[in-house]
Amino acid sequence: MASAAAIKRSDSIADTMPDALRQSRYHMKRCFAKYIEQGRRIMKLHHLMSEMEAVIDDKDERTQVLGGVLGYILCSTQEAVVVPPHVVFSIRLDPGYWEFVKVSSEDLAVEAITVREFLKYKEALCDEKWSNDEHVLEVDFRAIDFSTPHLTLSSSIGNGIDYVTKFTTSKLAGKLDNAQPLVDYLVSLHHHGEQLILNETLNTASKLQAALIVTEVYLSALPKDTPFQNFELRFKEWGFEKGWGDTAERTQETMKILSEVLQAPDPLNMDRFLSRLPTIFNVVILSPHGYFGQADVLGLPDTGGQVVYILDQVKAMEEELTLRIKQQGLTVKPQILVVTRLIPEARGTKCNQELEPINGTKYSNILRVPFRTEKGILRRWVSRFDIYPYLELFTQDATAKILYRMEGKPDLIIGNYTDGNLVASLMANKLGITQATIAHALEKTKYEDSDVNWKELDPKYHFSCQFLADTISMNATDFVIASTYQEIAGSKDRPGQYESHTAFTLPGLCRVVSGINVFDPKFNIAAPGADQSVYFPYSEKQKRLTSFYPAIEELLFSKEDNSEHLGFLVDRKKPIIFSMARLDIVKNITGLVEWYGKNKRLRNLVNLVVVGGFFDPSKSKDREEISEIKKMHTLIEKYQLRGQIRWIAAQADRNRNGELYRCIADTRGAFVQPALYEAFGLTVIEAMNCGLPTFATNQGGPAEIIVDGVSGFHIDPNNGDEASNKIADFFEKSKTDAAYWDRFSNVGLQRIYECYTWKIYANKVLNMGSTYTFWRQLNKEQKQAKQRYIQMFFNLQYRNLVKNVPVPSDEPEQPAAPK
Ligand code: UDP
Ligand code: LCN
């Protein structure tokens, strides 16, 4: 295949493609004739390639055709729309860079087209009349993005904060007066009515600069550890308020950094200064859907890593906030509220309690607010796909409760997933405060052609609401916290989750010609960690939680089926391959069972243990879970797996789960994460933290967490034979060479310590909070214009769609599912 070097960035596809087609004219004419043979349709890359193979059956000739620029262009094609006699291509040469061309199958003429035209071809396949209407609703966020600077390199995507600091610096540079917005911002800082940093005495850059020279001399004469209180009054007279530091030394440092910023702004000092400013004390984290609790919830429908992530995030953020506030010389206690839904019928969990302190924190709580409709309070769990009718009222109710609990506004609102992000957008807009969003997983890329086919999928998934809600939140938010690069902008071959919202179409509803721009500097990567007091290496013998051993022994090896486990392991000397996930289709636990069932070599080498769901489909209300439960039973019978498989129901005890991973490591086993797509994959880092060699899907976040063949292995969930053989090869090698297994265990751990800890995360996210709070202030007008556009879109489009989502009647709950 040709390399990227074959095509220069400055060349457009429309410029290079005609020549490339001409060079293989004979074959290309035949290929294009084949492409249009079946009439109008959407073709993906694999269709284009397999039909090309059928036409050019000689392998050498095919290699020659694909060896040049043409091969490179074709392989960068995301999809093609066949509209005889034309084939229209959407080509993605690099993450974030898309081009669209129309090729005539008759004379191979190539014409550049716009994204709008491309979407029109695509939607015409399902709704030609709508597509031809000149006045359909076109959503174009780019049109109102008139002043935000954007990045240009694909490799810079996800480092937004670095660029925002650079852009800020250059705005303030040049002459002292340019720093006035910074001074205004500093004068505006306060907490609960108390002025911080500067008062009106120092309301110009020149006054501030002069005063800083005086304080420099004054502070140099004091012992370094002099508490701020000792010179607080004098500073106040000069115009300086609290918040510079707890001692003379730290105050002097912070003031010096600001003096340097005023003298000649540079990004490093700007970043250091902004991250020291006392701007964040109270944080609201929104996560309405699922069962949000600290015990007995994991593995319940729609309840997985998001809950784990948020609880760990709160602990890490509270710790970091407490430290920062103290270092700045303030005595304020930070408050973090995780706001979720209160579920009256809570399946034995605490999800029916309004307030619950968060374990391991001093000042953080879960606040639960019920979903309401005009019929009253909704008592039961509702799928995340059906959640839209409750969100607006929930926002109102939650806002009132938050203001009451915090005795004022929060300083930062962080949304999670579609529902939490939409609520965060509405709330942050109403209160006028900084907003962050976290996706965990955007649903759009999980289902092929989910935009054009929305009408078919809508009754089940309500994607029309979801995609528009996501688009609204991405645009409304001040910054986005992603876990990996791929989440934003994908990989060479696959668009990112956010990137897939760049342009899409919902025929009959609206054509989104510019939904989001992944080069917007709001995008940042801050990868989560795993709680290292729970997930620590199997080799740390003195820390092992031996009290769980009898229960884990029973869980893995007892002979009889019961409500917690099914199947048994005849040969307990074999290593165990282990997987644990919610029983969603996308998690592909059934895929792993099938690969194992089919691969005799693997079955001879290892046993299989999977944790997920439960065994009686009639006990589940979740559509996907029900079908996966049934499939598991079928596969166990089909491949006669009893004796080699243990299926364990969803496990809710994190500490015991940590020990379970380590017990699997004791068998010299491995963790396998076979998802068809995984946004991040907390189980992957949990397993690696426990020293378990890990095989994880190459579709999504795990492909970035693991360096294939170095700190673990990638597997292709769409190629089960290859995946199961890769696992079998590993165990064959480990059987003859014990050091081989040890190597993957150790390098996996190293990878975690370098990149995936909560400490690194909290530091990054709080810096983002400070930097983007100033940035939104600097770009007030732009922000306001966008908000008005968003409000109109929300009102006229999104709200109408929500009316189509049924509100279930509140008949009594089924018996609780076993935990
Ligand atoms: N988990 C669990 N019990 C289960 C299934 C999952 O405790 O039966 C935990 C798992 O340890 C991890 C989280 O739930 O902490 C799942 O996170 P992941 O990112 O792997 O997937 P998600 O469910 O968020 O899609
Ligand atoms: C949701 C997912 O699907 C996972 O991939 C993530 O690991 C989890 O949330 C936590 O962010």
Side-chain angles (χ1 to χ4, degrees):
M1 203 63 51
S3 72
I7 194 161
K8 286 196 266 109
R9 238 305 23 117
S10 55
D11 297 332
S12 73
I13 300 289
D15 291 337
T16 44
M17 201 169 175
D19 252 359
L21 287 170
R22 212 169 293 129
Q23 280 171 21
S24 308
R25 190 172 171 82
Y26 168 72
H27 289 308
M28 281 301 110
K29 287 273 292 186
R30 291 172 62 226
C31 268
F32 274 81
K34 174 96 182 146
Y35 292 158
I36 61 162
E37 202 176 77
Q38 289 181 43
R40 290 153 51 116
R41 60 182 166 144
I42 294 181
M43 294 180 80
K44 302 290 170 192
L45 178 59
H46 62 98
H47 299 129
L48 293 168
M49 288 302 168
S50 65
E51 292 191 15
M52 175 180 283
E53 268 176 36
V55 172
I56 316 174
D57 48 11
D58 183 284
K59 195 162 173 249
D60 292 340
E61 282 183 32
R62 220 168 42 234
T63 312
Q64 207 188 345
V65 169
L66 289 175
V69 171
L70 186 61
Y72 183 63
I73 294 175
L74 284 177
C75 289
S76 304
T77 295
Q78 286 303 318
E79 57 186 1
V81 183
V82 180
V83 199
H86 291 104
V87 182
V88 186
F89 291 85
S90 128
I91 298 164
R92 178 178 174 269
L93 286 178
D94 275 311
Y97 279 108
W98 295 74
E99 284 184 47
F100 306 91
V101 289
K102 182 163 119 181
V103 181
S104 158
S105 62
E106 286 162 357
D107 58 4
L108 300 184
V110 181
E111 186 192 331
I113 58 167
T114 61
V115 62
R116 175 172 186 265
E117 286 166 312
F118 176 76
L119 292 175
K120 283 187 73 170
Y121 282 116
K122 204 171 155 182
E123 67 212 12
L125 299 182
C126 11
D127 193 341
E128 190 147 19
K129 186 161 173 271
W130 183 83
S131 164
N132 284 333
D133 180 347
E134 276 300 301
H135 301 289
V136 300
L137 173 63
E138 270 192 9
V139 180
D140 186 357
F141 279 99
R142 195 182 32 202
I144 40 153
D145 216 348
F146 45 83
S147 69
T148 317
H150 286 98
L151 319 179
T152 48
L153 298 176
S154 300
S155 57
S156 303
I157 295 172
N159 289 326
I161 186 168
D162 291 351
Y163 290 92
V164 161
T165 314
K166 287 178 188 155
F167 298 142
T168 307
T169 309
S170 61
K171 270 196 174 196
L172 305 186
K175 52 184 191 325
L176 191 57
D177 284 352
N178 291 353
Q180 191 56 37
L182 177 62
V183 181
D184 296 340
Y185 177 66
L186 296 179
V187 172
S188 76
L189 297 180
H190 62 271
H191 179 67
H192 278 203
E194 187 177 21
Q195 190 70 33
L196 298 173
I197 299 290
L198 295 185
N199 58 44
E200 279 292 339
T201 320
L202 299 179
N203 60 1
T204 68
S206 54
K207 284 191 218 165
L208 175 59
Q209 194 174 44
L212 285 170
I213 297 170
V214 177
T215 56
E216 165 87 19
V217 177
Y218 176 83
L219 289 169
S220 308
L222 293 183
K224 287 183 174 171
D225 57 355
T226 313
F228 184 84
Q229 290 85 321
N230 290 14
F231 49 91
E232 186 177 349
L233 284 179
R234 175 165 299 216
F235 267 48
K236 206 176 182 63
E237 279 164 25
W238 288 343
F240 294 102
E241 300 285 341
K242 283 183 195 161
W244 293 90
D246 50 349
T247 59
E249 184 183 26
R250 190 157 170 103
T251 305
Q252 191 179 7
E253 252 174 44
T254 314
M255 291 188 158
K256 176 108 194 290
I257 300 171
L258 178 59
S259 291
E260 287 184 7
V261 166
L262 293 178
Q263 182 176 268
D266 70 292
L268 198 67
N269 273 318
M270 182 59 83
D271 177 50
R272 287 171 70 205
F273 181 66
L274 290 177
S275 61
R276 281 183 180 213
L277 283 182
T279 42
I280 301 175
F281 303 93
N282 292 342
V283 181
V284 164
I285 299 180
L286 284 152
S287 178
H289 81 250
Y291 292 83
F292 198 104
Q294 302 185 80
D296 302 330
V297 300
L298 291 180
L300 290 179
D302 287 352
T303 309
Q306 186 171 323
V307 173
V308 175
Y309 176 115
I310 294 171
L311 290 173
D312 287 349
Q313 173 196 36
V314 169
K315 277 177 238 160
M317 289 219 311
E318 188 190 281
E319 216 168 280
E320 189 65 28
L321 271 176
T322 309
L323 177 72
R324 287 183 179 206
I325 293 172
K326 186 189 157 294
Q327 284 179 333
Q328 290 318 106
L330 303 171
T331 49
V332 178
K333 293 182 180 55
Q335 271 199 75
I336 305 181
L337 274 183
V338 176
V339 183
T340 187
R341 181 195 163 195
L342 184 147
I343 314 176
E345 287 172 14
R347 284 186 169 191
T349 68
K350 288 191 179 161
C351 295
N352 52 4
Q353 284 186 10
E354 177 168 307
L355 199 72
E356 188 186 344
I358 297 180
N359 303 332
T361 68
K362 282 194 185 147
Y363 318 110
S364 304
N365 289 284
I366 300 171
L367 172 68
R368 299 195 181 88
V369 179
F371 278 172
R372 255 187 329 125
T373 64
E374 67 276 10
K375 293 184 199 160
I377 285 177
L378 185 75
R379 300 189 53 76
R380 38 197 276 202
W381 169 83
V382 61
S383 156
R384 68 187 195 278
F385 294 117
D386 304 333
I387 204 167
Y388 304 97
Y390 315 98
L391 297 180
E392 259 194 81
L393 262 186
F394 176 80
T395 309
Q396 279 178 29
D397 295 349
T399 308
K401 295 230 165 184
I402 291 166
L403 294 178
Y404 171 75
R405 291 252 160 230
M406 291 190 157
E407 296 176 15
K409 291 183 194 178
D411 308 297
L412 175 65
I413 296 184
I414 306 179
N416 288 270
Y417 193 70
T418 310
D419 48 340
N421 287 333
L422 188 75
V423 174
S425 307
L426 299 176
M427 200 183 279
N429 181 39
K430 182 167 180 207
L431 301 178
I433 53 183
T434 311
Q435 180 197 351
T437 56
I438 300 177
H440 297 285
L442 293 166
E443 227 66 39
K444 193 167 168 294
T445 39
K446 286 191 193 166
Y447 305 80
E448 195 163 85
D449 296 326
S450 52
D451 58 345
V452 265
N453 294 332
W454 74 273
K455 277 192 186 150
E456 275 162 48
L457 296 163
D458 223 47
K460 204 166 163 192
Y461 295 111
H462 307 296
F463 281 154
S464 58
C465 292
Q466 180 152 26
F467 299 168
L468 297 190
D470 283 330
T471 308
I472 286 172
S473 310
M474 289 173 208
N475 281 286
T477 193
D478 295 295
F479 64 102
V480 175
I481 307 167
S483 298
T484 57
Y485 179 92
Q486 68 76 37
E487 184 181 331
I488 310 169
S491 57
K492 184 80 198 77
D493 310 322
R494 183 184 173 126
Q497 291 183 49
Y498 285 96
E499 191 183 2
S500 80
H501 294 74
T502 309
F504 61 96
T505 185
L506 304 174
L509 272 186
C510 59
R511 179 184 301 137
V512 182
V513 292
S514 172
I516 191 69
N517 184 344
V518 289
F519 293 97
D520 191 309
K522 66 168 62 175
F523 284 101
N524 287 284
I525 302 166
D531 184 336
Q532 288 172 335
S533 65
V534 177
Y535 305 102
F536 55 83
Y538 78 102
S539 52
E540 293 185 8
K541 295 275 182 239
Q542 70 297 350
K543 278 170 73 183
R544 296 281 298 261
L545 309 177
T546 48
S547 59
F548 287 125
Y549 284 4
I552 291 177
E553 167 74 21
E554 201 284 329
L555 201 60
L556 290 174
F557 298 114
S558 70
K559 289 277 175 312
E560 300 302 316
D561 288 355
N562 63 19
S563 62
E564 211 184 2
H565 51 73
L566 186 150
F568 57 96
L569 307 178
V570 172
D571 181 356
R572 58 176 295 174
K573 284 200 227 67
K574 282 185 190 169
I576 288 174
I577 54 173
F578 175 55
S579 199
M580 173 162 71
R582 293 177 290 114
L583 269 195
D584 262 11
I585 292 171
V586 73
K587 293 290 180 188
N588 199 27
I589 293 289
T590 48
L592 172 62
V593 172
E594 182 142 37
W595 305 344
Y596 179 76
K598 279 185 179 166
N599 191 325
K600 289 220 171 61
R601 189 162 66 103
L602 187 61
R603 286 174 69 166
N604 284 335
L605 285 162
V606 294
N607 289 316
L608 175 62
V609 173
V610 292
V611 171
F614 47 93
F615 315 131
D616 180 357
S618 70
K619 297 232 170 89
S620 178
K621 288 206 183 76
D622 187 85
R623 294 178 287 256
E624 292 202 0
E625 193 176 55
I626 294 169
S627 83
E628 287 295 281
I629 294 172
K630 290 183 182 160
K631 197 167 166 193
M632 281 285 278
H633 288 292
T634 312
L635 290 170
I636 291 173
E637 293 318 313
K638 179 173 171 194
Y639 293 102
Q640 304 196 332
L641 291 174
R642 280 175 187 267
Q644 290 183 306
I645 192 175
R646 180 74 141 194
W647 175 13
I648 300 173
Q651 291 298 304
D653 184 338
R654 285 182 91 193
N655 290 306
R656 195 168 88 171
N657 288 349
E659 203 45 52
L660 182 58
Y661 282 111
R662 287 185 287 274
C663 289
I664 304 288
D666 291 337
T667 74
R668 318 258 315 156
F671 186 76
V672 183
Q673 212 286 14
L676 300 175
Y677 179 78
E678 185 62 65
F680 181 71
L682 285 178
T683 52
V684 172
I685 57 171
E686 290 166 0
M688 289 167 78
N689 262 292
C690 294
L692 201 48
T694 300
F695 292 78
T697 178
N698 63 6
Q699 301 296 311
E704 235 165 276
I705 303 174
I706 290 174
V707 181
D708 188 29
V710 178
S711 41
F713 298 93
H714 296 169
I715 47 174
D716 181 354
N718 300 310
N719 191 342
D721 290 344
E722 185 195 87
S724 63
N725 278 319
K726 198 165 176 176
I727 304 171
D729 290 346
F730 171 78
F731 281 103
E732 246 164 26
K733 279 195 195 144
S734 299
K735 210 171 173 179
T736 50
D737 175 9
Y740 190 68
W741 189 95
D742 291 334
R743 193 173 97 210
F744 283 93
S745 169
N746 292 335
V747 182
L749 270 166
Q750 266 170 33
R751 174 91 181 145
I752 292 291
Y753 298 147
E754 278 159 24
C755 308
Y756 300 98
T757 72
W758 281 112
K759 173 90 188 141
I760 304 176
Y761 173 96
N763 204 27
K764 274 193 186 170
V765 169
L766 289 179
N767 286 354
M768 288 174 207
S770 311
T771 303
Y772 286 93
T773 300
F774 180 44
W775 181 243
R776 78 197 290 276
Q777 186 65 27
L778 272 184
N779 296 286
K780 273 202 300 282
E781 290 81 15
Q782 168 68 70
K783 175 102 198 159
Q784 235 162 38
K786 210 169 194 179
Q787 278 302 347
R788 300 308 287 169
Y789 187 78
I790 290 171
Q791 274 163 6
M792 186 144 64
F793 185 42
F794 174 82
N795 240 289
L796 301 179
Q797 190 71 1
Y798 168 84
R799 267 183 157 178
N800 285 332
L801 293 166
V802 173
K803 292 184 193 139
N804 301 332
V805 182
V807 174
S809 69
D810 236 343
E811 79 251 11
E813 264 266 74
Q814 309 271 313
K819 285 184 246 93

